Amino acid sequence: MNDAASGARIGVFICHCGGNISDVVDVKRVAEEVGKLPGVVLSTTHMFICSDPGQALVESVIKEHALDRVIVAACSPTLHQMTFRRAIERAGLNQFLFEHVNVREQVSWVTEDPVGATAKATRLVSAAVHRARHLVALDKRRIAIQPAALVIGGGVAGLVAARDLAQRGMKVTLVENRPFLGGRMAQLETVFPTGEKARDLLAPLIEEVVSHKLITVMTNAQVVNSEGVVGDFRTRIRVTPRGVNERLAYRGNAIAACPEETVNEFDFGLSKRKAIYMAYPGCWPPMPAIDWHTCTKCGKCVWAVGGKGIELDAEPREVEVRAGVIVLATGYDPYEPLYGEYGYGIFPRVITLQQLIRYLDPEGPTGGQLPLDGASKPRIGFIYCVGARQIEGVNQRQPDGKVKDYCARTCCTGALHAALTIKDHHPDATIYNLYQDVRTYGRGHEAYYERASESGALFLRFDPRHPPRVEKNPRGDSPVVVQVQDLLTDRLDVELPLDLLVLATGVVPHDISELVGMYRCAVGYDSFLLEVHPKLRPVELAVSGVFLAGCCQGPMDITEAAGAASAAASKAAALIAQGQVEMDPFTARVNEALCTGCQTCLGVCPYTAITRDPVKRIANVNQALCTGCGTCAAACPSKAIEQAGFTDAQVLSEVYALLADRSGAVTA
Amino acid sequence: MNAVSKAKVAMYWAGSCGGCDISLLEIGPHLLELVAAADVVFWPCAADFKYHHVASYPDGYIDLCLFNGSVRNSEQERMARLLRQKSKTLVAYGACAISGGIPALANLATPEELFARSYTDCPSVDNPGGVLPRTETESLVGELEIPHFYPQVLRLSDIVEVDYLIPGCPPQATRVWEVCQAFLGGALPARAHEQLAGCTDKSVCDECTLEKRLVKISGFRRHHEAIPEPGWCLLEQGFVCLGAATRSGCGALCTKVNMPCRGCYGPSGEARDQGAAFIGALGSLLNAELEARAGELIDQIVDPAGTFYRFTMSDGDLKGHR
Ligand SMILES: Cc1cc2nc3c(=O)[nH]c(=O)nc-3n(C[C@H](O)[C@H](O)[C@H](O)COP(=O)(O)OP(=O)(O)OC[C@H]3O[C@@H](n4cnc5c(N)ncnc54)[C@H](O)[C@@H]3O)c2cc1C
Ligand code: SF4
Ligand code: SF4
């Protein structure tokens, strides 16, 4: 082992943290005990070692005593490790000849026992001394950043992120796996809180994106594989052929000629579409696409357009995109109620809010007509929080074994907005809102609640542990009847015959398990992607260089999704602007003399950083790809891989010191 | 060593099967070269030497002593100490002397369990009185004392300072002769600290020619249960082959004839604990996404402790019962 073990000159600094540590830990005592260890040249305490005078002390002591290792026992390394690394570097020492010991969060804050705390602190710092003897100087890795971004998902969030990045001069590739851009927003009719038409808002944004010369848009495109790390992600993208090209002149003829029909997912099953289809009026790209699952390649569309513009035999192609940063904007899916949940699936007049919005859309499946079976004074009910804020033990578990216990945030205002739209068309309709809480939290959202109340809509509040029951109407004067106990009238049992029941369904993350694996994303309990910190680093994933935009991170309305997308774009652009990333040097290195080329390590590296050198017949670690996870070092049966910063000598000396008997005698 | 007096060599057989003695004979015609260049002053297996002969030698009289076998009883310990005293260079020869070898598998049981098994419980034993060996026995010629049985099988280095280790069960003759040549040529410094000889720094995979296909292991088989596909890495085929975690020097003899490596040369590279090193590697080679599946696969391995520590039970972190 090439550790510089002997002859170390170690300086130890123990922080009072203004009493945070010293009120429990006898820091003077710790300094004294540790000061007796061989190699410790100086061991002292300081009131606030992270303060300017504290850092200055560290620097001057290093020079004065010619220290070559420094140990600071203080707060958590996440807080101040960098502070001290920089300080010792200013004093001319390599920053990795430093050990940080946490005696606050892991000692003084977790006990009131001063004797035990002092003993534990002493032991931790002693272990650091043993480890420090084996530290060696290391150099940071520097990786140049590709000035390009890959945005995955072409909903409003992905579109905004792509536009903002391009506006900052970055090259952007936008990948959408459906044949058309726009995401879920395109399926909305008018949007709260402005009342503008969703697709009217989308159109100029899409136009801006597709016409920007720095943006390449790929639709029908799936990410199949990704290699590399921040600065240089290499992503393989498979583009499924559209089946249609620009030369198609009579698209209406082609669609009309197609004999194959399938459920139209854009209308949530309320209508059918052909195998060759356009998703929605004004969609981009403005030409049809062929759905290969439905198409039988009968050739009728080709014949109908005179053979021009349709390619039934085009092959998928794969391209590699190199990008310095990745923005994930893969959005959400509406919650699909379980069969029988509030009568869903049993009664055709029980529909979801998403379906209601499609019905209300003048360009939708019914031209804006609701399925009221001719009822003159329609009675329409809404049940809120369906597939949201569920309670373990009350609600049935979802297929993933969990209940959806989070608030979906868009359904309250969305449902009220829809209810008001209904009122506009059917002033004589009676609207019943069966809710747990009305959470019109956003700016301008409360107005929907007020207006709904004023419009005469009725509000009945139910206890989530006793949700409403939906049954067939025995009298037959309406398709369904809902029984609900109303908390607002002291638990009066109310029976509501309804012509239409709308389930204000929540949202779930779109299934991106393959991307989660590829980019090693953190996922929260609610299955949405998890940011590093909700307040301080809200649009970053823990994987460096990967950012979050929109509803892949949790339920958001368009305002929030677009805001998050802009934030992600500016964080990503700021990273690219640095030109290079610095990375810790704790990578795996193969000892060529010991490696046999058994290839055990090849399969274990989660980052595909290891390849086999065919000439030397041994393993080789790509230092740019290695994240220092240490898996290979553990797997190598010959211990031929050493991880810088975590060598056997370093780790074992620390472990032995921690396990040493109370007299302080250690075995290594 | 000088021209006038020939070098003195010795070979001793402690707790082992005798294969090591045979492996020294296996150097064949070179044996003649060896005895031409050196006097054999102690080799109970090959010539009639008694304890008192050795005791009468001056200290450091023997230039090279090859000590094979583990230390399981008081006689073996006494011989180890005596030979250390009389030898300039003491070599732990073979797996038993280095790390306990096959005898050390007994470390998984207590002496009481071992005695019960050997002298009463074993189906082929007829011992109605339940007689167990005793250290002292009255006989016609007076009280006899046989060596004391130790609770554990120990390595030679647990008893005395050892200069060199020649691994293998047994060490391969060609490698043994190489070490002898080095000794005779004066290239082997008299004192060293447990320095390996007669082997390489790499693992058996280095000398093995079977092809890796980088597929994960989907199930384990023992070699009497299936015939391996020729040319393909045995471990990948599910035969527990310890080659990757075993020091090379043998010339990959076993895998050349499609037998999985049993690990007799001990840990490779910088690994200290062969069993742990192999387990570490094995864990990453299983075709199992889920822990439960990994558990099922591991359950297919018969006698994991005896398999992974077959030759190193006295050596690794798993020191048998205690
Ligand atoms: C019932 C309801 C009503 C709503 N009404 C309003 C409203 O009135 N006003 C408002 O502000 N908000 C409203 N919202 C919220 C609004 O729909 C969202 O905020 C918005 O659509 C989120 O956009 P997004 O880009 O994050 O996600 P999405 O719109 O879901 O876009 C994600 C895109 O990524 C694509 N994608 C997914 N996975 C991949 C992959 N692996 N590779 C490539 N592409 C992929 C998808 O195909 C999709 O195009 C409503 C929500 C609901 C549920
Ligand atoms: S596991 Fe170890 S010995 Fe095997 S190829 Fe990798 S580095 Fe080399
Ligand atoms: S430490 Fe090893 S396994 Fe982990 S990323 Fe680096 S090379 Fe791959």
Side-chain angles (χ1 to χ4, degrees):
Chain A
M1 235 156 277
N2 55 352
D3 293 313
S6 54
R9 295 180 61 79
I10 305 172
V12 181
F13 301 86
I14 297 159
C15 187
H16 289 247
C17 196
N20 263 300
I21 295 168
S22 55
D23 284 354
V24 186
V25 176
D26 182 347
V27 289
K28 288 257 165 354
R29 180 81 205 285
V30 178
E32 247 171 63
E33 288 296 318
V34 174
K36 295 177 195 159
L37 293 172
V40 177
V41 176
L42 169 128
S43 180
T44 184
T45 68
H46 195 276
M47 190 49 76
F48 288 109
I49 193 76
C50 63
S51 65
D52 285 349
Q55 293 184 45
L57 172 79
V58 175
E59 287 175 53
S60 69
V61 167
I62 290 173
K63 289 180 190 145
E64 191 182 322
H65 292 274
L67 297 182
D68 58 12
R69 307 279 192 284
V70 172
I71 294 170
V72 170
C75 51
S76 159
T78 36
L79 223 59
H80 276 308
Q81 185 173 46
M82 287 314 295
T83 312
F84 298 111
R85 278 198 195 162
R86 281 193 287 264
I88 76 164
E89 197 141 72
R90 285 197 298 274
L93 215 55
N94 180 282
Q95 58 169 304
F96 297 101
L97 297 171
F98 169 72
E99 272 300 302
H100 194 112
V101 186
N102 184 348
V103 291
R104 194 178 74 178
E105 283 83 343
Q106 289 178 3
V107 183
S108 67
W109 279 2
V110 289
T111 180
E112 286 166 4
D113 164 18
V115 178
T118 306
K120 180 175 172 187
T122 310
R123 192 161 281 244
L124 288 172
V125 183
S126 308
V129 168
H130 283 87
R131 177 182 159 84
R133 294 198 192 115
H134 298 280
L135 292 178
V136 289
L138 297 169
D139 285 323
K140 283 213 160 207
R141 290 173 293 162
R142 289 184 180 78
I143 292 177
I145 299 186
Q146 295 279 331
L150 173 66
V151 178
I152 303 176
V156 62
L159 291 164
V160 167
R163 177 200 63 190
D164 286 14
L165 279 160
Q167 281 175 348
R168 288 185 176 81
M170 309 294 163
K171 242 178 81 191
V172 182
T173 307
L174 177 67
V175 172
E176 165 59 53
N177 68 359
R178 305 197 143 272
F180 302 96
L181 291 181
R184 296 287 171 199
M185 184 172 166
Q187 291 169 290
L188 302 175
E189 192 236 340
T190 55
V191 294
F192 64 75
T194 57
E196 291 158 287
K197 277 187 80 78
R199 291 191 293 276
D200 289 354
L201 283 174
L202 260 180
L205 176 62
I206 292 177
E207 180 52 33
E208 225 180 321
V209 167
V210 300
S211 62
H212 202 295
K213 56 184 188 312
L214 286 175
I215 303 179
T216 310
V217 177
M218 297 184 187
T219 51
N220 250 358
Q222 290 83 29
V223 176
V224 285
N225 176 25
S226 170
E227 281 180 8
V229 283
V230 55
D232 193 7
F233 290 104
R234 293 156 191 233
T235 309
R236 286 204 75 74
I237 292 164
R238 184 188 169 87
V239 184
T240 307
R242 187 169 201 87
V244 172
N245 62 36
E246 295 76 13
R247 296 191 304 145
L248 178 67
Y250 310 105
R251 60 188 193 213
N253 294 5
I255 295 172
C258 175
E260 298 298 331
E261 269 195 346
T262 187
V263 169
N264 187 358
E265 61 285 270
F266 191 82
D267 286 336
F268 300 104
L270 299 178
S271 67
K272 298 231 152 142
R273 64 160 171 78
K274 296 292 183 63
I276 177 167
Y277 71 107
M278 304 272 284
Y280 57 91
C283 62
W284 197 93
M287 55 176 161
I290 294 177
D291 157 12
W292 300 109
H293 297 292
T294 311
C295 171
T296 57
K297 302 201 177 177
C298 69
K300 294 211 167 84
C301 55
V302 183
W303 189 82
V305 297
K308 265 220 285 285
I310 296 183
E311 306 154 337
L312 290 179
D313 295 314
E315 290 290 322
R317 61 193 170 91
E318 278 195 12
V319 288
E320 185 181 88
V321 174
R322 286 181 75 173
V325 295
I326 309 261
V327 177
L328 295 178
T330 51
Y332 72 93
D333 283 333
Y335 170 77
E336 171 79 16
L338 303 174
Y339 178 82
E341 188 174 0
Y342 296 117
Y344 184 77
I346 301 174
F347 307 111
R349 290 296 169 249
V350 177
I351 63 171
T352 65
L353 177 58
Q354 280 81 7
Q355 290 174 320
L356 174 70
I357 294 172
R358 296 309 306 132
Y359 276 126
L360 290 173
D361 190 339
E363 291 169 336
T366 54
Q369 296 303 307
L370 292 181
L372 294 173
D373 308 309
S376 59
K377 291 187 174 167
R379 297 153 294 180
I380 300 174
F382 286 83
I383 298 182
Y384 287 65
C385 301
V386 178
R389 304 176 66 207
Q390 293 182 326
I391 301 173
E392 187 77 58
V394 175
N395 296 96
Q396 200 183 331
R397 292 222 181 112
Q398 299 297 320
D400 65 1
K402 301 175 190 167
V403 294
K404 299 281 163 205
D405 58 0
Y406 52 89
C407 169
R409 299 175 91 247
T410 44
C411 11
C412 278
T413 314
L416 290 166
H417 174 47
L420 286 168
T421 314
I422 294 175
K423 268 294 207 188
D424 289 345
H425 299 315
H426 304 271
D428 47 1
T430 311
I431 308 278
Y432 300 98
N433 295 288
L434 280 54
Y435 72 102
Q436 302 179 21
D437 300 286
V438 174
R439 295 184 162 181
T440 45
Y441 67 96
R443 188 181 197 186
H445 294 198
E446 185 68 1
Y448 286 82
Y449 178 52
E450 277 160 20
R451 272 170 47 214
S453 307
E454 282 159 18
S455 77
L458 294 165
F459 285 83
L460 296 93
R461 185 173 192 187
F462 66 87
D463 177 344
R465 279 159 303 172
H466 303 287
R469 277 177 309 151
V470 181
E471 278 151 20
K472 188 176 158 79
N473 187 340
R475 292 182 304 279
D477 59 349
S478 78
V480 290
V481 59
V482 176
Q483 321 268 3
V484 59
Q485 208 179 49
D486 179 23
L487 296 182
L488 301 179
T489 50
D490 199 14
R491 297 184 183 272
L492 199 68
D493 285 314
V494 184
E495 194 180 276
L496 303 168
L498 295 178
D499 296 300
L500 188 65
L501 173 61
V502 181
L503 307 180
T505 36
V507 302
V508 297
H510 183 69
D511 178 11
I512 50 161
S513 30
E514 75 295 355
L515 293 178
V516 167
M518 242 178 264
Y519 296 113
R520 296 163 295 280
C521 310
V523 173
Y525 182 76
D526 55 11
S527 305
F528 286 97
L529 295 179
L530 193 65
E531 66 286 329
V532 178
H533 189 283
K535 306 211 184 305
L536 301 177
R537 292 171 70 187
V539 293
E540 289 162 76
L541 273 174
V543 190
S544 182
V546 184
F547 300 88
L548 294 172
C551 288
C552 56
Q553 192 185 7
M556 298 181 188
D557 68 6
I558 297 165
T559 316
E560 293 162 332
S566 283
S570 56
K571 286 300 275 186
L575 183 67
I576 292 179
Q578 288 175 8
Q580 61 173 18
V581 271
E582 281 204 336
M583 294 201 287
D584 275 344
F586 306 128
T587 52
R589 290 147 202 207
V590 176
N591 181 335
E592 299 198 353
L594 300 182
C595 171
T596 325
C598 74
Q599 308 185 52
T600 303
C601 53
L602 256 68
V604 304
C605 176
Y607 305 94
T608 52
I610 312 182
T611 47
R612 183 166 188 260
D613 182 328
V615 181
K616 294 187 189 157
R617 300 195 304 131
I618 57 172
N620 178 39
V621 176
N622 180 333
Q623 296 295 312
L625 296 185
C626 174
T627 64
C629 70
T631 313
C632 59
C636 172
S638 294
K639 298 276 163 280
I641 303 188
E642 194 167 75
Q643 199 190 344
F646 296 89
T647 65
D648 281 1
Q650 290 163 357
V651 174
L652 291 175
S653 60
E654 193 175 6
V655 170
Y656 288 137
L658 284 171
L659 300 178
D661 63 50
R662 279 170 191 281
S663 67
V666 290
T667 40
Chain B
M1 207 184 324
N2 59 49
V4 194
S5 68
K6 288 209 283 180
K8 311 277 184 288
V9 296
M11 172 77 164
Y12 185 66
W13 170 358
S16 61
C17 66
C20 284
D21 277 84
I22 309 283
S23 79
L24 186 55
L25 291 175
E26 207 192 333
I27 65 175
H30 297 308
L31 209 50
L32 300 175
E33 290 174 55
L34 181 65
V35 294
D39 288 334
V40 176
V41 295
F42 185 50
W43 189 357
C45 170
D48 190 11
F49 288 102
K50 296 284 184 258
Y51 179 79
H52 63 85
H53 292 129
V54 182
S56 68
Y57 296 151
D59 287 359
Y61 175 75
I62 303 168
D63 291 293
L64 179 73
C65 175
L66 307 176
F67 187 106
N68 75 76
S70 59
V71 178
R72 166 108 250 188
N73 63 36
S74 51
E75 184 221 8
Q76 288 154 355
E77 170 165 5
R78 193 163 135 214
M79 285 308 295
R81 293 194 187 281
L82 180 69
L83 286 167
R84 172 72 273 183
Q85 189 190 340
K86 302 297 176 189
S87 308
K88 290 198 184 73
T89 300
L90 179 66
V91 178
Y93 186 102
C96 298
I98 295 174
S99 51
I102 297 286
L105 290 173
N107 282 359
L108 292 170
T110 63
E112 294 71 35
E113 287 164 346
L114 293 172
F115 277 30
R117 179 77 192 154
S118 300
Y119 297 105
T120 61
D121 302 350
C122 182
S124 60
V125 166
D126 181 23
N127 181 1
V131 180
L132 294 182
R134 266 177 299 144
T135 312
E136 285 89 25
T137 311
E138 278 303 328
S139 78
L140 293 175
V141 292
E143 194 184 81
L144 289 181
E145 191 185 345
I146 61 165
H148 295 248
F149 191 76
Y150 288 172
Q152 289 263 307
V153 174
L154 303 173
R155 308 168 287 194
L156 181 59
S157 63
D158 288 327
I159 309 293
V160 292
E161 289 260 331
V162 172
D163 300 308
Y164 294 95
L165 315 171
I166 302 182
C169 181
Q172 283 311 299
T174 41
R175 290 299 156 111
V176 172
W177 176 236
E178 278 166 26
V179 181
C180 292
Q181 280 177 303
F183 164 70
L184 294 172
L188 207 64
R191 294 309 304 263
H193 178 68
E194 298 180 20
Q195 195 180 310
L196 284 153
C199 57
T200 79
D201 276 344
K202 303 225 171 186
S203 78
V204 173
C205 297
D206 190 46
E207 294 182 309
C208 173
T209 52
L210 299 181
E211 175 210 0
K212 278 263 178 183
R213 299 188 187 161
L214 296 184
V215 297
K216 302 245 163 169
I217 304 167
S218 299
F220 288 102
R221 298 177 289 175
R222 299 172 82 188
H223 57 264
H224 63 273
E225 291 169 346
I227 295 175
E229 184 185 319
W232 180 15
C233 170
L234 294 163
L235 187 59
E236 288 189 340
Q237 294 189 57
F239 297 94
V240 180
C241 173
L242 262 67
T246 303
R247 187 167 295 280
S248 97
C250 60
L253 282 181
C254 296
T255 64
K256 271 199 186 111
V257 294
N258 260 349
M259 283 295 284
C261 168
R262 291 149 55 94
C264 74
Y265 268 63
S268 58
E270 296 221 325
R272 294 176 314 121
D273 184 312
Q274 187 180 17
F278 186 72
I279 293 166
L282 196 60
S284 38
L285 294 171
L286 299 180
N287 185 9
E289 285 292 322
L290 301 173
E291 206 180 316
R293 175 70 190 136
E296 279 168 31
L297 285 176
I298 292 299
D299 284 345
Q300 295 172 2
I301 299 178
V302 179
D303 184 17
T307 304
F308 303 148
Y309 291 91
R310 184 176 277 128
F311 298 93
T312 57
M313 193 64 87
S314 296
D315 200 21
D317 292 335
L318 188 82
K319 285 244 166 54
H321 82 94
R322 213 158 267 200

